[in-house]
Amino acid sequence: MQKRSVIFDHDGSADDFLSLILLLSMPDVEIIGISITPADCYIENALETTLKLLERAGKSEIEIGIGNFHGINAFPSHWRAKPKVINALPSLIGIEVEGNPTQFIDSVELITRKILSSNDPVTIMMTGPCSNLVHAIRENADLVHHIEEVIWMGGAFDVPGNVATYNHNGTAEWNVFWDPISAKDLLKYGLNIVFVPLDATNDVPVSMDFLKELANHREHQWADLAGQFWATTIDTIPAYEYIYFMWDVLATSYLAIPNAFVFESMEVDIEAVGPSAGRTVRKEGSNQFAKVAMNVNKETFYDYLINTLTT
């Protein structure tokens, strides 16, 4: 079986680590490198969790790069602290790893080297901001010729965004808002970009019924760990009812179940500054084309999750 060479760029929240579990479980995917963006995390904790998951999966040889760009619009600090809680979970706390960020190479160097040394075109799977990839391309434009596809959990095209902060009108999604200037630049390179935006992820909540079903499979290590990870998210978003969505997990599942998605090809743009900074928009005449997930077959997606986490 020809495996797809994938660089995974994440930003260290609970759903990023669930995405890593999925990637580690995909038989036709080879993770050739992992980049960590210091966005929805504090880098030391996110690095530790990443190393623990690789150790648990028997994949500790996968090389990791650390992003040293800290964005323009910071994520809330209480969201960023989530990996510290995750590392204390019973399933992970006993795994000893060496996680000093200063001993790891820069993400830009990792991305550049892994792309140029690959025998096959590389897929970039991004569940955080796109800054590391854009900075790498700015330094070496030849990288675009070796990238097969960029899959990005980001954006909100026909639905409201999820940014609620000062001086912003709420139209942006956080992964784009963190560094809207790099996000706008990403569209200029002619890459094959697949957006999995809030338009699609809003249809797949992490419901209590789903968590109860997952809890019935605790004898499987990944199902048990995934349930623990999602349990840490219940207080993330204040609401009368628990609301958390399969943001990164849905985007990552595209690699395994692409036919479950409904896509629209469109010309797009991103607003880089002002009260709508980070807003992703349809823009005819931009000559910046992307494939945008608008919906997903929910039954296929949830079945895929349960089957993967219990195998």
Side-chain angles (χ1 to χ4, degrees):
M1 180 188 300
Q2 179 67 36
K3 292 190 175 185
R4 179 186 283 217
S5 297
V6 172
I7 294 175
F8 180 42
D9 194 323
H10 74 79
D11 68 337
S13 193
D15 50 346
D16 297 272
F17 298 124
L18 289 157
S19 289
L20 178 55
I21 289 173
L22 291 186
L23 288 170
L24 291 167
S25 303
M26 291 180 184
D28 56 349
V29 163
E30 180 182 0
I31 305 174
I32 63 173
I34 297 174
S35 165
I36 306 175
T37 301
D40 197 10
C41 68
Y42 291 102
I43 202 71
E44 297 84 359
N45 306 131
L47 173 61
E48 182 179 348
T49 310
T50 303
L51 289 168
K52 287 180 180 234
L53 289 176
L54 292 180
E55 180 70 24
R56 184 158 181 172
K59 297 287 187 179
S60 56
E61 75 279 1
I62 296 175
E63 191 172 5
I64 297 172
I66 300 296
N68 289 296
F69 176 73
H70 289 270
I72 296 172
N73 302 300
F75 274 78
S77 59
H78 60 286
W79 293 2
R80 298 179 67 195
K82 188 65 66 178
K84 195 171 187 69
V85 177
I86 289 173
N87 288 326
L89 292 173
S91 297
L92 293 183
I93 195 168
I95 301 176
E96 300 294 334
V97 294
E98 293 293 331
N100 184 347
T102 63
Q103 297 178 355
F104 290 78
I105 66 171
D106 186 277
S107 286
V108 171
E109 179 184 346
L110 175 86
I111 290 170
T112 301
R113 177 159 50 80
K114 291 297 183 179
I115 290 176
L116 295 180
S117 64
S118 175
N119 293 325
D120 302 302
V122 173
T123 294
I124 311 294
M125 179 72 241
M126 297 190 303
T127 56
C130 65
S131 309
N132 292 322
L133 175 61
V134 171
H135 290 177
I137 295 173
R138 285 173 184 161
E139 292 186 9
N140 189 334
D142 187 50
L143 295 179
V144 300
H145 304 298
H146 303 273
I147 296 174
E148 179 177 3
E149 197 170 40
V150 176
I151 305 159
W152 190 15
M153 191 280 115
F157 289 85
D158 296 337
V159 298
N162 59 7
V163 171
T165 189
Y166 296 103
N167 299 326
H168 196 275
N169 62 16
T171 56
E173 180 276 326
W174 264 104
N175 283 345
V176 184
F177 177 63
W178 191 78
D179 182 8
I181 293 175
S182 290
K184 186 175 181 67
D185 283 350
L186 179 69
L187 301 177
K188 300 176 181 178
Y189 301 127
L191 295 161
N192 295 320
I193 301 177
V194 176
F195 281 98
V196 182
L198 301 186
D199 306 66
T201 63
N202 285 350
D203 287 336
V204 284
V206 185
S207 67
M208 285 297 182
D209 286 340
F210 171 79
L211 293 183
K212 288 177 182 177
E213 181 180 358
L214 194 62
N216 291 329
H217 303 281
R218 291 187 60 194
E219 70 276 12
H220 298 279
Q221 68 158 344
W222 292 134
D224 182 46
L225 195 57
Q228 293 181 47
F229 281 10
W230 269 310
T232 70
T233 70
I234 289 177
D235 64 347
T236 299
I237 302 174
Y240 291 108
E241 296 292 339
Y242 166 53
I243 302 174
Y244 196 86
F245 295 94
M246 301 277 187
W247 297 294
D248 299 345
V249 173
L250 180 65
T252 305
S253 75
Y254 164 75
L255 288 168
I257 51 170
N259 293 333
F261 289 78
V262 175
F263 286 100
E264 183 177 342
S265 294
M266 64 179 75
E267 289 180 280
V268 301
D269 202 359
I270 293 174
E271 298 184 23
V273 296
S276 57
R279 182 185 180 192
T280 49
V281 296
R282 300 167 179 263
K283 188 174 182 181
E284 291 186 12
S286 69
N287 202 34
Q288 298 173 152
F289 294 89
K291 189 164 72 169
V292 180
M294 304 307 291
N295 208 334
V296 67
N297 185 309
K298 291 185 280 189
E299 183 177 359
T300 300
F301 169 67
Y302 285 115
D303 284 350
Y304 161 73
L305 275 187
I306 293 296
N307 290 336
T308 300
L309 295 172
T310 58
T311 299

